[in-house]
Amino acid sequence: MWLQPDVWKNLPVLPLVTAIICLGGCTNQPTEEQLEIWRNEAIARNAEIVADNAKKNQPMESNLVIQGETATGKSVKFNWQQVGVLANTYVQTTDPNYVIDRNQVFNFRGLPISKLLKEFGHQSNVTEVTFLSDDAYQITVSLADLLTYPIILAIANNGKPINRDQGGPIYLVFPYRQYPEIKQKYDESFWAFYVSNMIVGTEKVQLRVGKRTLNLAALDQLPQVTLTETVGYRIGWPSGKVKLHGVRVRDVLSLAGVQLPTLGEVVVRGKAQVYRSTANPMSFSAADLRECEILLVTRWGEDKQLIPAKLGGPVTLAFSSECKTKTSNIRWVTFVEELIIQP
Ligand SMILES: Nc1nc2c(c(=O)[nH]1)N[C@H]1C(S)=C(S)[C@@H](COP(=O)(O)O)O[C@H]1N2
Ligand SMILES: [Mo]
């Protein structure tokens, strides 16, 4: 019986090589013909990888949402075409993430954040703005700096859309060349790739559960639980254990009048694209909720301060490191917006 070609491809290479060599009398030298076949296979596989990467690197389209403590408190969503229209500001600067040549100057075109802030306003207590990316990466910049310097959400570089491997389609760019002082304050880690949300100050708690939307006062009615844990994502927080205060996901479900079926799951949706994937959702079973303290936290520290956007607030999913859920890939979720019941 002959193996089908696609079966060949999936076999481990080494045993196959040994087998073929031994058929030909157990020398250690593959024949010229065999080498030629392997060479062609390698070339074909390589072409496949190159094509695949090219596809992944297509500049993609992205929406941009501006929200939080804007003048009206409402959020605005721009589609890709509207983003393009707003991108009327040019910044010539080096790019600290262009490691091939850190002195090379690029001409970025993007949306001027100072103008967006003036257009949509901000409440008087606001001191910072947080940018969130598709991969849930987030960085926070002071409002004063955003109003002072031409910091832009770039969508083009030297006249071309920005590929994903260069931080596109929307890349936060700082005017390093014109304002060297900005470089001291905001290093390359502030150049956020694939930005999707600009959060002015911190949003109000608005948690969608089934048909209900719960605010902070509603969550505060539930039994309060404190978890002392090292925060499960790499932003803003003090290192080591911190006190997190919130409510149990299972209590939130009952408050909203939602029943979780015995074999059902609750999906925790965060704002970032990675938390909205339907293929790989962050979900917990009824058993997880029963056996673990899975919390939605809104406050932290000894003085129970509200969790600001800078730390992934106002609502963050947290659970104990001792919690053994059936799904091992669960992570802490920032900017939790919705609990979805799946039967
Ligand atoms: N969306 C997003 N932007 C990001 C990051 C990231 O993980 N996600 N990493 C930051 C950091 S820490 C640095 S140093 C630079 C370069 O990151 P890289 O070395 O992972 O390419 O991009 C910044 N922007
Ligand atoms: Mo970094």
Side-chain angles (χ1 to χ4, degrees):
M1 192 195 79
W2 290 101
L3 293 168
Q4 294 303 309
D6 53 332
V7 177
W8 277 87
K9 209 164 58 187
N10 294 330
L11 285 174
V13 171
L14 220 56
L16 190 68
V17 171
T18 324
I20 290 164
I21 292 165
C22 286
L23 283 178
C26 279
T27 68
N28 280 327
Q29 295 296 312
T31 62
E32 248 338 286
E33 284 128 273
Q34 191 55 54
L35 277 176
E36 189 56 26
I37 291 169
W38 290 338
R39 212 173 283 132
N40 287 335
E41 276 174 5
I43 291 167
R45 179 72 194 117
N46 199 49
E48 241 171 69
I49 293 169
V50 168
D52 215 46
N53 282 345
K55 231 182 284 164
K56 279 190 208 129
N57 263 336
Q58 285 296 312
M60 300 178 319
E61 304 192 344
S62 175
N63 294 323
L64 177 70
V65 177
I66 300 176
Q67 58 198 156
E69 296 171 276
T70 56
T72 62
K74 294 212 176 95
S75 58
V76 221
K77 183 174 186 171
F78 299 106
N79 65 28
W80 185 240
Q81 199 222 327
Q82 294 165 323
V83 165
V85 172
L86 292 170
N88 60 9
T89 298
Y90 289 83
V91 169
Q92 282 87 35
T93 181
T94 54
D95 176 348
N97 294 318
Y98 186 70
V99 288
I100 295 168
D101 178 2
R102 284 184 208 274
N103 296 320
Q104 185 164 331
V105 174
F106 297 95
N107 188 13
F108 287 101
R109 174 169 71 90
L111 298 78
I113 293 160
S114 64
K115 281 192 205 142
L116 293 175
L117 286 168
K118 281 169 197 152
E119 171 91 20
F120 298 102
H122 56 85
Q123 285 159 34
S124 57
N125 60 309
V126 170
T127 57
E128 52 195 28
V129 175
T130 297
F131 297 88
L132 176 68
S133 300
D134 285 350
D135 58 350
Y137 185 78
Q138 60 174 93
I139 59 99
T140 298
V141 181
S142 94
L143 178 73
D145 289 336
L146 289 170
L147 292 172
T148 308
Y149 300 99
I151 298 166
I152 62 169
L153 287 165
I155 61 158
N157 180 356
N158 291 344
K160 292 200 196 94
I162 305 172
N163 284 341
R164 200 164 170 92
D165 66 348
Q166 287 151 5
I170 304 183
Y171 183 29
L172 186 61
V173 165
F174 293 80
Y176 272 16
R177 196 177 67 133
Q178 205 183 346
Y179 302 97
E181 69 269 28
I182 268 292
K183 193 171 178 173
Q184 305 308 316
K185 214 161 158 184
Y186 301 105
D187 67 14
E188 68 268 29
S189 66
F190 284 86
W191 292 56
F193 305 150
Y194 0 105
V195 174
S196 56
N197 295 71
M198 170 170 148
I199 303 155
V200 179
T202 298
E203 291 176 278
K204 295 275 167 291
V205 175
Q206 273 201 309
L207 181 71
R208 289 191 302 280
V209 188
K211 292 189 173 69
R212 301 242 343 238
T213 300
L214 304 176
N215 61 16
L216 184 62
L219 295 183
D220 281 352
Q221 287 168 14
L222 295 171
Q224 300 294 306
V225 182
T226 297
L227 173 71
T228 306
E229 215 22 281
T230 303
V231 173
Y233 46 83
R234 57 161 181 157
I235 44 146
W237 295 89
S239 54
K241 299 205 180 236
V242 291
K243 277 197 172 143
L244 298 154
H245 315 279
V247 295
R248 295 181 187 92
V249 168
R250 68 172 115 101
D251 293 339
V252 174
L253 295 180
S254 9
L255 176 67
V258 176
Q259 283 279 346
L260 186 60
T262 325
L263 295 176
E265 305 244 305
V266 57
V267 174
V268 180
R269 282 239 288 191
K271 196 188 286 300
Q273 196 58 44
V274 276
Y275 299 134
R276 310 178 76 83
S277 137
T278 44
N280 188 23
M282 202 67 64
S283 64
F284 299 93
S285 68
D288 292 338
L289 296 188
R290 212 172 33 243
E291 289 152 23
C292 282
E293 294 276 71
I294 298 171
L295 306 179
L296 292 176
V297 298
T298 51
R299 294 187 173 80
W300 74 286
E302 293 300 334
D303 51 352
K304 300 194 173 178
Q305 302 169 49
L306 290 169
I307 301 178
K310 185 178 184 165
L311 301 179
V315 183
T316 287
L317 175 83
F319 48 86
S320 161
S321 54
E322 278 148 39
C323 183
K324 299 273 178 286
T325 61
K326 63 161 190 52
T327 38
S328 54
N329 67 336
I330 53 160
R331 289 188 279 162
W332 290 38
V333 178
T334 49
F335 303 102
V336 174
E337 296 189 327
E338 190 172 13
L339 301 181
I340 301 167
I341 309 303
Q342 290 189 335

Short mmCIF file of all heavy atoms in Angstrom, two decimals, residues 89-136:
data_model
loop_
_atom_site.label_atom_id
_atom_site.label_comp_id
_atom_site.label_asym_id
_atom_site.label_seq_id
_atom_site.Cartn_x
_atom_site.Cartn_y
_atom_site.Cartn_z
N THR A 89 -2.23 64.32 9.87
CA THR A 89 -1.05 64.92 10.49
C THR A 89 0.20 64.09 10.22
O THR A 89 0.17 62.86 10.33
CB THR A 89 -1.29 65.08 12.00
OG1 THR A 89 -2.40 65.95 12.19
CG2 THR A 89 -0.06 65.66 12.70
N TYR A 90 1.26 64.77 9.83
CA TYR A 90 2.52 64.08 9.51
C TYR A 90 3.54 64.28 10.62
O TYR A 90 3.67 65.38 11.17
CB TYR A 90 3.08 64.62 8.19
CG TYR A 90 2.26 64.17 7.00
CD1 TYR A 90 1.10 64.85 6.63
CD2 TYR A 90 2.62 63.04 6.27
CE1 TYR A 90 0.33 64.43 5.55
CE2 TYR A 90 1.87 62.60 5.18
CZ TYR A 90 0.73 63.30 4.83
OH TYR A 90 -0.03 62.88 3.76
N VAL A 91 4.24 63.21 10.97
CA VAL A 91 5.33 63.28 11.95
C VAL A 91 6.55 62.58 11.36
O VAL A 91 6.46 61.42 10.95
CB VAL A 91 4.91 62.62 13.28
CG1 VAL A 91 6.13 62.45 14.20
CG2 VAL A 91 3.84 63.44 13.99
N GLN A 92 7.64 63.34 11.26
CA GLN A 92 8.89 62.75 10.79
C GLN A 92 9.71 62.35 12.01
O GLN A 92 10.07 63.21 12.82
CB GLN A 92 9.69 63.75 9.94
CG GLN A 92 9.18 63.91 8.52
CD GLN A 92 8.08 64.96 8.43
OE1 GLN A 92 8.11 65.96 9.14
NE2 GLN A 92 7.11 64.73 7.57
N THR A 93 9.96 61.08 12.13
CA THR A 93 10.71 60.63 13.30
C THR A 93 11.42 59.30 13.05
O THR A 93 11.09 58.59 12.11
CB THR A 93 9.77 60.49 14.53
OG1 THR A 93 10.54 60.09 15.66
CG2 THR A 93 8.69 59.45 14.29
N THR A 94 12.38 59.02 13.91
CA THR A 94 12.97 57.70 13.96
C THR A 94 11.94 56.77 14.59
O THR A 94 10.97 57.24 15.21
CB THR A 94 14.24 57.70 14.83
OG1 THR A 94 13.90 58.24 16.11
CG2 THR A 94 15.35 58.53 14.21
N ASP A 95 12.14 55.46 14.45
CA ASP A 95 11.23 54.47 15.05
C ASP A 95 12.09 53.53 15.89
O ASP A 95 12.90 52.78 15.35
CB ASP A 95 10.52 53.72 13.92
CG ASP A 95 9.62 52.60 14.44
OD1 ASP A 95 9.71 52.26 15.64
OD2 ASP A 95 8.83 52.07 13.64
N PRO A 96 11.94 53.58 17.23
CA PRO A 96 12.81 52.77 18.09
C PRO A 96 12.63 51.27 17.85
O PRO A 96 13.48 50.48 18.25
CB PRO A 96 12.37 53.16 19.50
CG PRO A 96 10.96 53.60 19.34
CD PRO A 96 10.88 54.25 17.99
N ASN A 97 11.50 50.91 17.22
CA ASN A 97 11.28 49.48 16.95
C ASN A 97 11.80 49.06 15.59
O ASN A 97 11.71 47.89 15.23
CB ASN A 97 9.79 49.15 17.08
CG ASN A 97 9.33 49.33 18.51
OD1 ASN A 97 10.02 48.96 19.44
ND2 ASN A 97 8.16 49.93 18.69
N TYR A 98 12.35 50.01 14.83
CA TYR A 98 13.00 49.66 13.57
C TYR A 98 14.47 49.40 13.88
O TYR A 98 15.32 50.29 13.82
CB TYR A 98 12.84 50.79 12.55
CG TYR A 98 13.36 50.40 11.19
CD1 TYR A 98 12.69 49.45 10.41
CD2 TYR A 98 14.53 50.96 10.67
CE1 TYR A 98 13.17 49.08 9.17
CE2 TYR A 98 15.01 50.60 9.43
CZ TYR A 98 14.33 49.65 8.69
OH TYR A 98 14.81 49.28 7.45
N VAL A 99 14.74 48.16 14.28
CA VAL A 99 16.07 47.85 14.84
C VAL A 99 17.15 47.77 13.77
O VAL A 99 18.33 47.80 14.08
CB VAL A 99 16.03 46.54 15.66
CG1 VAL A 99 15.29 46.76 16.97
CG2 VAL A 99 15.40 45.41 14.86
N ILE A 100 16.74 47.70 12.49
CA ILE A 100 17.74 47.62 11.41
C ILE A 100 18.56 48.90 11.36
O ILE A 100 19.76 48.87 11.13
CB ILE A 100 17.04 47.34 10.06
CG1 ILE A 100 16.38 45.95 10.13
CG2 ILE A 100 18.01 47.43 8.89
CD1 ILE A 100 15.42 45.66 8.99
N ASP A 101 17.87 50.04 11.59
CA ASP A 101 18.59 51.31 11.61
C ASP A 101 17.82 52.29 12.49
O ASP A 101 16.82 52.87 12.09
CB ASP A 101 18.71 51.86 10.18
CG ASP A 101 19.43 53.21 10.17
OD1 ASP A 101 19.85 53.69 11.25
OD2 ASP A 101 19.56 53.79 9.07
N ARG A 102 18.31 52.46 13.71
CA ARG A 102 17.60 53.31 14.66
C ARG A 102 17.68 54.80 14.34
O ARG A 102 17.01 55.61 14.97
CB ARG A 102 18.10 53.04 16.09
CG ARG A 102 17.58 51.73 16.64
CD ARG A 102 18.02 51.55 18.08
NE ARG A 102 18.13 50.14 18.43
CZ ARG A 102 17.12 49.38 18.85
NH1 ARG A 102 15.92 49.90 19.00
NH2 ARG A 102 17.31 48.12 19.13
N ASN A 103 18.53 55.15 13.37
CA ASN A 103 18.62 56.57 13.00
C ASN A 103 17.77 56.92 11.79
O ASN A 103 17.63 58.09 11.45
CB ASN A 103 20.08 56.94 12.70
CG ASN A 103 20.93 56.80 13.94
OD1 ASN A 103 20.49 57.16 15.04
ND2 ASN A 103 22.13 56.25 13.79
N GLN A 104 17.23 55.91 11.15
CA GLN A 104 16.43 56.19 9.96
C GLN A 104 15.18 56.99 10.32
O GLN A 104 14.49 56.67 11.29
CB GLN A 104 16.04 54.88 9.27
CG GLN A 104 15.31 55.13 7.97
CD GLN A 104 15.25 53.90 7.08
OE1 GLN A 104 16.14 53.04 7.14
NE2 GLN A 104 14.21 53.79 6.29
N VAL A 105 14.92 58.02 9.51
CA VAL A 105 13.75 58.86 9.77
C VAL A 105 12.61 58.45 8.84
O VAL A 105 12.81 58.28 7.64
CB VAL A 105 14.09 60.35 9.59
CG1 VAL A 105 12.84 61.22 9.71
CG2 VAL A 105 15.13 60.77 10.63
N PHE A 106 11.43 58.25 9.41
CA PHE A 106 10.25 57.86 8.64
C PHE A 106 9.25 59.01 8.65
O PHE A 106 9.23 59.83 9.56
CB PHE A 106 9.58 56.64 9.27
CG PHE A 106 10.45 55.42 9.28
CD1 PHE A 106 11.21 55.11 10.40
CD2 PHE A 106 10.51 54.59 8.17
CE1 PHE A 106 12.02 53.99 10.41
CE2 PHE A 106 11.32 53.46 8.18
CZ PHE A 106 12.08 53.16 9.30
N ASN A 107 8.42 59.03 7.61
CA ASN A 107 7.36 60.03 7.56
C ASN A 107 6.03 59.34 7.84
O ASN A 107 5.46 58.69 6.98
CB ASN A 107 7.36 60.69 6.17
CG ASN A 107 6.42 61.88 6.11
OD1 ASN A 107 5.95 62.36 7.16
ND2 ASN A 107 6.12 62.35 4.91
N PHE A 108 5.57 59.47 9.08
CA PHE A 108 4.32 58.82 9.49
C PHE A 108 3.16 59.78 9.26
O PHE A 108 3.27 60.98 9.52
CB PHE A 108 4.36 58.46 10.96
CG PHE A 108 5.26 57.29 11.29
CD1 PHE A 108 6.54 57.49 11.81
CD2 PHE A 108 4.83 55.98 11.08
CE1 PHE A 108 7.36 56.41 12.12
CE2 PHE A 108 5.65 54.90 11.38
CZ PHE A 108 6.92 55.12 11.91
N ARG A 109 2.04 59.22 8.80
CA ARG A 109 0.80 60.00 8.72
C ARG A 109 -0.21 59.38 9.66
O ARG A 109 -0.37 58.16 9.69
CB ARG A 109 0.23 59.97 7.29
CG ARG A 109 -1.13 60.65 7.17
CD ARG A 109 -1.53 60.85 5.71
NE ARG A 109 -1.87 59.61 5.03
CZ ARG A 109 -3.11 59.09 4.97
NH1 ARG A 109 -4.12 59.70 5.57
NH2 ARG A 109 -3.34 57.98 4.31
N GLY A 110 -0.88 60.23 10.45
CA GLY A 110 -1.83 59.65 11.39
C GLY A 110 -2.82 60.65 11.96
O GLY A 110 -2.88 61.81 11.54
N LEU A 111 -3.61 60.14 12.90
CA LEU A 111 -4.62 60.97 13.56
C LEU A 111 -3.97 61.71 14.71
O LEU A 111 -3.35 61.09 15.58
CB LEU A 111 -5.75 60.10 14.12
CG LEU A 111 -6.60 59.27 13.16
CD1 LEU A 111 -5.87 58.02 12.73
CD2 LEU A 111 -7.93 58.91 13.80
N PRO A 112 -4.09 63.05 14.71
CA PRO A 112 -3.49 63.83 15.79
C PRO A 112 -4.31 63.68 17.07
O PRO A 112 -5.48 64.04 17.09
CB PRO A 112 -3.56 65.26 15.25
CG PRO A 112 -4.72 65.25 14.30
CD PRO A 112 -4.83 63.88 13.75
N ILE A 113 -3.70 63.13 18.10
CA ILE A 113 -4.46 62.84 19.31
C ILE A 113 -4.92 64.12 20.01
O ILE A 113 -6.02 64.20 20.54
CB ILE A 113 -3.65 61.92 20.23
CG1 ILE A 113 -3.51 60.56 19.53
CG2 ILE A 113 -4.32 61.74 21.59
CD1 ILE A 113 -2.40 59.71 20.04
N SER A 114 -4.09 65.17 19.94
CA SER A 114 -4.50 66.43 20.59
C SER A 114 -5.79 66.95 19.98
O SER A 114 -6.68 67.42 20.70
CB SER A 114 -3.39 67.47 20.45
OG SER A 114 -3.19 67.79 19.09
N LYS A 115 -5.94 66.82 18.67
CA LYS A 115 -7.17 67.31 18.03
C LYS A 115 -8.36 66.44 18.41
O LYS A 115 -9.46 66.93 18.61
CB LYS A 115 -7.01 67.39 16.51
CG LYS A 115 -6.24 68.64 16.10
CD LYS A 115 -6.33 68.89 14.60
CE LYS A 115 -5.12 69.71 14.15
NZ LYS A 115 -4.61 69.30 12.83
N LEU A 116 -8.13 65.12 18.49
CA LEU A 116 -9.22 64.23 18.90
C LEU A 116 -9.69 64.60 20.31
O LEU A 116 -10.89 64.63 20.59
CB LEU A 116 -8.76 62.77 18.88
CG LEU A 116 -8.42 62.16 17.52
CD1 LEU A 116 -7.87 60.75 17.69
CD2 LEU A 116 -9.65 62.14 16.61
N LEU A 117 -8.72 64.89 21.18
CA LEU A 117 -9.06 65.22 22.57
C LEU A 117 -9.83 66.53 22.64
O LEU A 117 -10.74 66.70 23.45
CB LEU A 117 -7.80 65.29 23.42
CG LEU A 117 -7.20 63.92 23.76
CD1 LEU A 117 -5.81 64.07 24.35
CD2 LEU A 117 -8.11 63.14 24.70
N LYS A 118 -9.45 67.48 21.78
CA LYS A 118 -10.16 68.76 21.78
C LYS A 118 -11.56 68.58 21.22
O LYS A 118 -12.53 69.13 21.73
CB LYS A 118 -9.38 69.81 21.00
CG LYS A 118 -8.24 70.37 21.86
CD LYS A 118 -7.27 71.21 21.06
CE LYS A 118 -5.97 71.37 21.82
NZ LYS A 118 -4.81 71.56 20.93
N GLU A 119 -11.66 67.76 20.18
CA GLU A 119 -12.95 67.51 19.53
C GLU A 119 -13.93 66.81 20.48
O GLU A 119 -15.08 67.20 20.61
CB GLU A 119 -12.69 66.65 18.29
CG GLU A 119 -13.93 66.13 17.61
CD GLU A 119 -14.44 67.07 16.52
OE1 GLU A 119 -13.64 67.91 16.06
OE2 GLU A 119 -15.63 66.95 16.16
N PHE A 120 -13.47 65.75 21.14
CA PHE A 120 -14.39 64.95 21.97
C PHE A 120 -14.37 65.34 23.44
O PHE A 120 -15.19 64.89 24.23
CB PHE A 120 -14.12 63.45 21.78
CG PHE A 120 -14.36 63.04 20.37
CD1 PHE A 120 -13.31 62.84 19.50
CD2 PHE A 120 -15.66 62.96 19.88
CE1 PHE A 120 -13.54 62.52 18.18
CE2 PHE A 120 -15.90 62.65 18.55
CZ PHE A 120 -14.83 62.43 17.69
N GLY A 121 -13.42 66.18 23.81
CA GLY A 121 -13.39 66.73 25.16
C GLY A 121 -13.00 65.70 26.21
O GLY A 121 -12.82 64.52 25.92
N HIS A 122 -12.83 66.20 27.43
CA HIS A 122 -12.53 65.31 28.54
C HIS A 122 -13.07 65.95 29.79
O HIS A 122 -13.15 67.18 29.90
CB HIS A 122 -11.02 65.08 28.66
CG HIS A 122 -10.24 66.34 28.80
ND1 HIS A 122 -10.04 66.98 30.00
CD2 HIS A 122 -9.64 67.11 27.87
CE1 HIS A 122 -9.35 68.08 29.80
NE2 HIS A 122 -9.09 68.18 28.51
N GLN A 123 -13.46 65.10 30.74
CA GLN A 123 -13.96 65.63 32.00
C GLN A 123 -12.79 66.21 32.79
O GLN A 123 -11.63 65.86 32.55
CB GLN A 123 -14.75 64.54 32.72
CG GLN A 123 -16.11 64.38 32.01
CD GLN A 123 -16.79 63.05 32.24
OE1 GLN A 123 -16.67 62.47 33.30
NE2 GLN A 123 -17.51 62.59 31.23
N SER A 124 -13.11 67.14 33.72
CA SER A 124 -12.05 67.96 34.31
C SER A 124 -11.08 67.17 35.19
O SER A 124 -9.94 67.57 35.38
CB SER A 124 -12.67 69.10 35.11
OG SER A 124 -13.53 68.54 36.09
N ASN A 125 -11.51 65.99 35.69
CA ASN A 125 -10.64 65.20 36.56
C ASN A 125 -9.63 64.35 35.78
O ASN A 125 -8.76 63.73 36.38
CB ASN A 125 -11.50 64.29 37.44
CG ASN A 125 -12.34 63.34 36.60
OD1 ASN A 125 -13.04 63.78 35.68
ND2 ASN A 125 -12.25 62.06 36.86
N VAL A 126 -9.78 64.30 34.45
CA VAL A 126 -8.96 63.37 33.66
C VAL A 126 -7.51 63.83 33.60
O VAL A 126 -7.23 65.01 33.35
CB VAL A 126 -9.53 63.24 32.23
CG1 VAL A 126 -8.57 62.47 31.33
CG2 VAL A 126 -10.88 62.56 32.27
N THR A 127 -6.57 62.90 33.86
CA THR A 127 -5.15 63.24 33.77
C THR A 127 -4.40 62.35 32.79
O THR A 127 -3.26 62.62 32.46
CB THR A 127 -4.46 63.08 35.15
OG1 THR A 127 -4.66 61.73 35.60
CG2 THR A 127 -5.04 64.05 36.18
N GLU A 128 -5.05 61.25 32.36
CA GLU A 128 -4.32 60.36 31.45
C GLU A 128 -5.25 59.66 30.46
O GLU A 128 -6.46 59.62 30.65
CB GLU A 128 -3.51 59.33 32.24
CG GLU A 128 -4.32 58.59 33.27
CD GLU A 128 -3.49 57.83 34.31
OE1 GLU A 128 -2.34 58.22 34.60
OE2 GLU A 128 -4.01 56.82 34.81
N VAL A 129 -4.61 59.16 29.40
CA VAL A 129 -5.35 58.48 28.34
C VAL A 129 -4.66 57.13 28.11
O VAL A 129 -3.44 57.04 28.08
CB VAL A 129 -5.34 59.31 27.04
CG1 VAL A 129 -6.00 58.55 25.89
CG2 VAL A 129 -6.04 60.66 27.25
N THR A 130 -5.49 56.08 27.98
CA THR A 130 -4.95 54.73 27.83
C THR A 130 -5.25 54.22 26.42
O THR A 130 -6.37 54.40 25.92
CB THR A 130 -5.57 53.80 28.89
OG1 THR A 130 -5.17 54.27 30.19
CG2 THR A 130 -5.10 52.36 28.72
N PHE A 131 -4.24 53.62 25.80
CA PHE A 131 -4.41 53.05 24.46
C PHE A 131 -4.37 51.53 24.58
O PHE A 131 -3.46 50.97 25.21
CB PHE A 131 -3.30 53.55 23.53
CG PHE A 131 -3.35 55.04 23.33
CD1 PHE A 131 -2.69 55.89 24.21
CD2 PHE A 131 -4.10 55.58 22.30
CE1 PHE A 131 -2.76 57.28 24.05
CE2 PHE A 131 -4.18 56.96 22.13
CZ PHE A 131 -3.51 57.81 23.01
N LEU A 132 -5.38 50.89 24.00
CA LEU A 132 -5.48 49.43 24.08
C LEU A 132 -5.32 48.84 22.68
O LEU A 132 -5.82 49.40 21.70
CB LEU A 132 -6.86 49.06 24.65
CG LEU A 132 -7.19 47.57 24.72
CD1 LEU A 132 -6.31 46.85 25.75
CD2 LEU A 132 -8.67 47.37 25.06
N SER A 133 -4.62 47.71 22.60
CA SER A 133 -4.33 47.08 21.32
C SER A 133 -5.07 45.75 21.16
O SER A 133 -5.57 45.19 22.14
CB SER A 133 -2.82 46.81 21.21
OG SER A 133 -2.11 48.02 21.30
N ASP A 134 -5.10 45.24 19.94
CA ASP A 134 -5.78 43.97 19.64
C ASP A 134 -5.30 42.82 20.53
O ASP A 134 -6.07 41.94 20.87
CB ASP A 134 -5.53 43.57 18.18
CG ASP A 134 -6.33 44.40 17.22
OD1 ASP A 134 -7.21 45.16 17.66
OD2 ASP A 134 -6.07 44.30 16.00
N ASP A 135 -4.01 42.82 20.88
CA ASP A 135 -3.46 41.72 21.69
C ASP A 135 -3.59 41.99 23.19
O ASP A 135 -2.97 41.31 23.99
CB ASP A 135 -1.99 41.47 21.32
CG ASP A 135 -1.11 42.71 21.53
OD1 ASP A 135 -1.65 43.81 21.76
OD2 ASP A 135 0.13 42.57 21.46
N ALA A 136 -4.40 43.00 23.56
CA ALA A 136 -4.66 43.38 24.96
C ALA A 136 -3.49 44.12 25.59
O ALA A 136 -3.50 44.42 26.78
CB ALA A 136 -5.08 42.21 25.84
#
